[in-house]
Amino acid sequence: MKAVAYLTLSEARHRPGPHLLLIGTLALALFLPWTTRALVGRLETALVARADATPLTAGSAGSRLDLTLASLYFREVDLEPVGADLWDELAADHGGVAVPLRLGAHARGFPVVGTSPEYYEQRGLGLASGERPLIVGECLLGSEVARTLGLTTGAELFSDQDELYDLSVPQALRMHVCGVLAPSGGPDDRAVFTDVGTSWAIEGLAHGHGNANDPALDPRLVIADLEGNRVLSGAYVPPAEIGPADLADFHAHGERADLPLSAVLFFPHSTKARTLVRARIDLREGLQMVAPRAVVDEILGVVFRVQRLLDLFSIAVGVTALALGGLIVGLSIRLRAPELRTLDRLGAGRSVAAQLVGTQVAGQLATAFAVAALAVALTLALLPDLTRWL
Amino acid sequence: MIAARDLRLAYAGGDFVLDVPHLDVARGEQLAIVGPSGSGKTTFLHLAAGILRPDSGQLSVDGRDLDAMDDALRRRWRVARIGLVFQDLELLPYLDSLDNVLLPLRIGGGSLDAEARERARGLLADFGVAHTTHRRPARLSGGERQRVALARALVTEAPLLLLDEPTGSLDPDNAERAVGLLRARAAERGATLLMVTHDRAAAAGFERVLDAGAGLEALDAELRA
């Protein structure tokens, strides 16, 4: 057997082309279905885990899929906002924990998620450094955001300004990085978290008046000074950050119901509370309460149908690879006939020819399997979180 | 060493029939069979090596009745007891000269220790092809290939050497030197040497030369004469 292995290796080194072609084809035929199944399996696990960790999400009536993707993955979708009073209502319900989400703003391309401290508790998110945003103007970075932007606790981060040349829109807000989240392997790694008030400030819906009362303010900007309430000129440019002086009177104008939220996550304490809340919200006009798991199951249904299609392609590739393999082995035997005859004449055992071909095929299969396994491992390492493309 | 009695082999569908009524080759004898192509020289050599089996008759080699041996035993016996040179050399194209020489030891399960390798290198040097040790046959001249094949026949130190046109690709000087070396090595070990060739000059100096010009029947007649 040692002699057979040596002869097989020597022959392969001498004429590597056909062997490499066959190994490559077989590896590809193995790699395609293997990777597809591994990736789909990983996607399914990630989607289901995230969905199961988010029992209910409330939002405006419309696409259940959009609401789910926005609530779970901060995906940019055209959602009608709901009023902050929905959050208040759900928070007042003792059957569970309500967590607001305000999406739409960005910082250096990453989504800014306005929420409340309960979000981190419900998601079980730990801190790599710093602390959670306790006051407006602070932000907490997902681990990938911190790594990509090279920021850490104590740094500053500006929100993105959508319209650079429109002076009527709010200017970019300078946020103080109060902490960095530990990696969680999900969408939270790729988001910037703030208090929901900060999100409203970015949108120009809330602010403080700290600077208006600054004694050092240029008096030419003060139109009137009414018992401490100053009326400022239109030439006054509000500062790009929420400073300590703003915190005391940080506020939003208008009704609470006018302050927009993209969704409100609800984590019920019991099945009964879940059923009651869901029914109550679903009955309200313009609102819906979605169970993300049901939506994810629908998504997975589509994914599995696509996978079945890919499986058919893989079978076709596999059959082609086997046919090619058979052809190459057949040609190889014909090509090696003089060599096999020599071994026969010198006195090699009758089974040596079969052993040589068998060892060659086994070696090719083993190498193709190893190459495919390596390629699958590399692919999985390079694509650790498929939900980033949702 | 070789005893043939009423040996007969006819190729299916062919006109040629090999007939050897009586032939004996003594142990340690050096015998050359000369004759033109198609006279049955190679066929007789393959019968003696157990590669072919006769249709009838008896053939005993090295004291063993070849017909009584099963296929596996005959193969093991051949690789261990016979040094072979084929007419078309039959070097493996993907092995270098050293590995081609070591091939009989490798497939026979023999030892490939340092001594065997040294012996193989020594044989290559003796035949003047030491410089081809790590070259594959495609990079050798015809004469170099021939000499590597001769070295391969000697590596197992077998008691019987069967050589089919061993000088076919060599110039006269190299042919004489190679045959002289083969005969000297066989004589040193008391091995029997049977060479078939169409080149009468290569057979010069052999103790016994048989002419197969009229077919191998003539061998027997000549032997008895």
Side-chain angles (χ1 to χ4, degrees):
Chain A
M1 201 60 205
K2 204 171 161 187
V4 169
Y6 183 81
L7 293 175
T8 303
L9 270 177
S10 299
E11 198 275 338
R13 278 202 301 265
H14 176 61
R15 217 171 5 232
H19 298 282
L20 292 178
L21 177 65
L22 186 56
I23 287 168
T25 310
L26 289 173
L28 186 64
L30 286 169
F31 170 77
L32 288 175
W34 194 352
T35 309
T36 305
R37 289 200 166 270
L39 289 178
V40 167
R42 181 177 277 191
L43 179 67
E44 180 188 9
T45 304
L47 282 173
V48 168
R50 186 79 171 173
D52 285 346
T54 318
L56 292 171
T57 178
S60 60
S63 165
R64 297 164 65 235
L65 179 63
D66 283 353
L67 178 59
T68 301
L69 291 179
S71 303
L72 272 60
Y73 297 100
F74 318 131
R75 184 177 160 184
E76 296 295 318
V77 290
D78 193 15
L79 277 180
E80 280 295 316
V82 293
D85 55 335
L86 178 62
W87 171 29
D88 297 338
E89 178 189 335
L90 290 172
D93 190 311
H94 296 297
V97 177
V99 177
L101 286 181
R102 181 54 182 160
L103 309 170
H106 296 86
R108 306 275 296 272
F110 291 99
V112 173
V113 181
T115 186
S116 64
E118 288 82 6
Y119 181 86
Y120 315 107
E121 291 164 14
Q122 293 299 327
R123 288 270 184 245
L125 298 173
L127 289 165
S129 68
E131 56 187 16
R132 295 168 181 170
L134 297 173
I135 55 176
V136 289
E138 289 183 334
C139 67
L140 176 65
L141 305 183
S143 59
E144 190 175 323
V145 177
R147 191 177 64 247
T148 306
L149 300 181
L151 297 177
T152 187
T153 303
E156 289 180 338
L157 177 65
F158 276 91
S159 63
D160 295 342
Q161 197 162 9
D162 294 334
E163 296 290 341
L164 284 175
Y165 304 107
D166 184 352
L167 296 178
S168 67
V169 301
Q171 59 181 318
L173 183 71
R174 181 159 59 192
M175 295 177 286
H176 172 71
V177 177
C178 63
V180 176
L181 285 171
S184 60
D188 297 319
D189 292 345
R190 300 182 293 274
V192 176
F193 293 94
T194 66
D195 183 84
V196 68
T198 308
S199 287
W200 289 331
I202 291 172
E203 295 177 58
L205 301 173
H207 55 250
H209 291 164
N211 276 46
N213 295 320
D214 187 348
L217 189 68
D218 184 348
R220 290 173 296 177
L221 296 173
V222 180
I223 296 173
D225 196 344
L226 305 171
E227 296 175 354
N229 285 330
R230 284 176 158 182
V231 179
L232 301 183
S233 153
Y236 171 73
V237 178
E241 63 183 325
I242 300 168
D246 297 302
L247 294 177
D249 63 350
F250 186 82
H251 61 280
H253 292 275
E255 296 297 322
R256 179 80 172 164
D258 292 335
L259 292 173
L261 291 176
S262 303
V264 180
L265 307 180
F266 190 70
F267 301 88
H269 295 319
S270 65
T271 308
K272 181 183 175 186
R274 171 193 172 111
T275 307
L276 289 174
V277 167
R278 187 173 182 185
R280 194 174 79 226
I281 300 299
D282 261 347
L283 286 173
R284 300 255 286 275
E285 193 165 341
L287 293 179
Q288 64 173 334
M289 183 70 103
V290 170
R293 177 58 195 265
V295 176
V296 162
D297 285 344
E298 289 173 20
I299 296 172
L300 288 174
V302 175
V303 170
F304 289 139
R305 278 198 292 277
V306 173
Q307 183 188 305
R308 277 198 288 275
L309 185 66
L310 289 175
D311 283 347
L312 286 177
F313 284 125
S314 299
I315 289 170
V317 172
V319 169
T320 308
L322 284 177
L324 180 66
L327 179 68
I328 290 177
V329 169
L331 290 174
S332 169
I333 291 173
R334 180 169 289 193
L335 199 65
R336 296 179 71 176
E339 167 206 339
L340 300 178
R341 189 188 62 174
T342 300
L343 292 170
D344 180 64
R345 285 178 168 189
L346 283 174
R350 185 175 285 278
S351 64
V352 163
Q355 286 179 37
L356 278 172
V357 175
T359 307
Q360 176 188 318
V361 172
Q364 287 164 338
L365 284 174
T367 310
F369 184 82
V371 169
L374 188 65
V376 170
L378 276 174
T379 305
L380 294 180
L382 291 171
L383 302 172
D385 180 16
L386 291 175
T387 60
R388 67 172 60 233
W389 285 291
L390 286 174
Chain B
M1 182 54 134
I2 299 175
R5 299 286 181 272
D6 302 320
L7 206 58
R8 183 181 176 84
L9 175 68
Y11 285 109
D15 296 333
F16 178 79
V17 177
L18 175 73
D19 240 329
V20 184
H22 188 109
L23 177 64
D24 286 321
V25 181
R27 189 175 299 277
E29 186 178 355
Q30 299 191 350
L31 171 67
I33 301 174
V34 296
S37 299
S39 58
K41 304 187 299 295
T42 297
T43 301
F44 179 71
L45 213 64
H46 285 185
L47 283 169
I51 295 170
L52 293 175
R53 302 186 78 166
D55 295 335
S56 61
Q58 288 184 327
L59 179 61
S60 164
V61 180
D62 195 19
R64 310 284 300 254
D65 180 0
L66 295 192
D67 212 32
M69 284 193 265
D70 65 20
D71 182 68
L73 181 60
R74 198 163 51 242
R75 287 167 184 272
R76 284 200 300 274
W77 167 81
R78 180 160 68 239
V79 77
R81 306 289 293 174
I82 300 179
L84 275 162
V85 173
F86 300 108
Q87 189 172 11
D88 44 3
L89 307 181
E90 302 193 15
L91 300 177
L92 297 198
Y94 51 81
L95 297 182
D96 62 21
S97 295
L98 181 63
D99 274 336
N100 261 300
V101 172
L102 289 169
L103 186 61
L105 289 175
R106 201 181 285 283
I107 63 176
S111 171
L112 280 180
D113 55 15
E115 186 190 336
R117 291 178 182 279
E118 199 49 47
R119 186 164 68 242
R121 287 177 197 277
L123 286 167
L124 288 171
D126 289 346
F127 282 102
V129 285
H131 60 286
T132 71
T133 300
H134 296 298
R135 286 189 204 160
R136 288 175 177 150
R139 292 181 57 209
L140 305 183
S141 70
E144 287 171 334
R145 281 200 286 268
Q146 179 95 60
R147 284 178 279 169
V148 172
L150 297 177
R152 184 174 70 184
L154 293 177
V155 77
T156 56
E157 299 184 326
L160 175 60
L161 296 174
L162 299 176
L163 316 175
D164 193 355
E165 302 284 5
T167 59
S169 303
L170 299 177
D171 59 75
D173 286 346
N174 271 319
E176 187 182 344
R177 199 172 304 133
V179 171
L181 183 60
L182 285 167
R183 293 187 62 196
R185 284 299 177 94
E188 280 169 18
R189 297 199 316 271
T192 307
L193 187 152
L194 173 55
M195 178 180 81
V196 302
T197 178
H198 69 278
D199 180 7
R200 287 178 180 273
F206 271 70
E207 299 158 9
R208 196 151 61 114
V209 180
L210 301 180
D211 189 350
L216 279 182
E217 302 97 314
L219 294 174
D220 182 48
E222 187 171 332
L223 184 64
R224 280 181 292 180

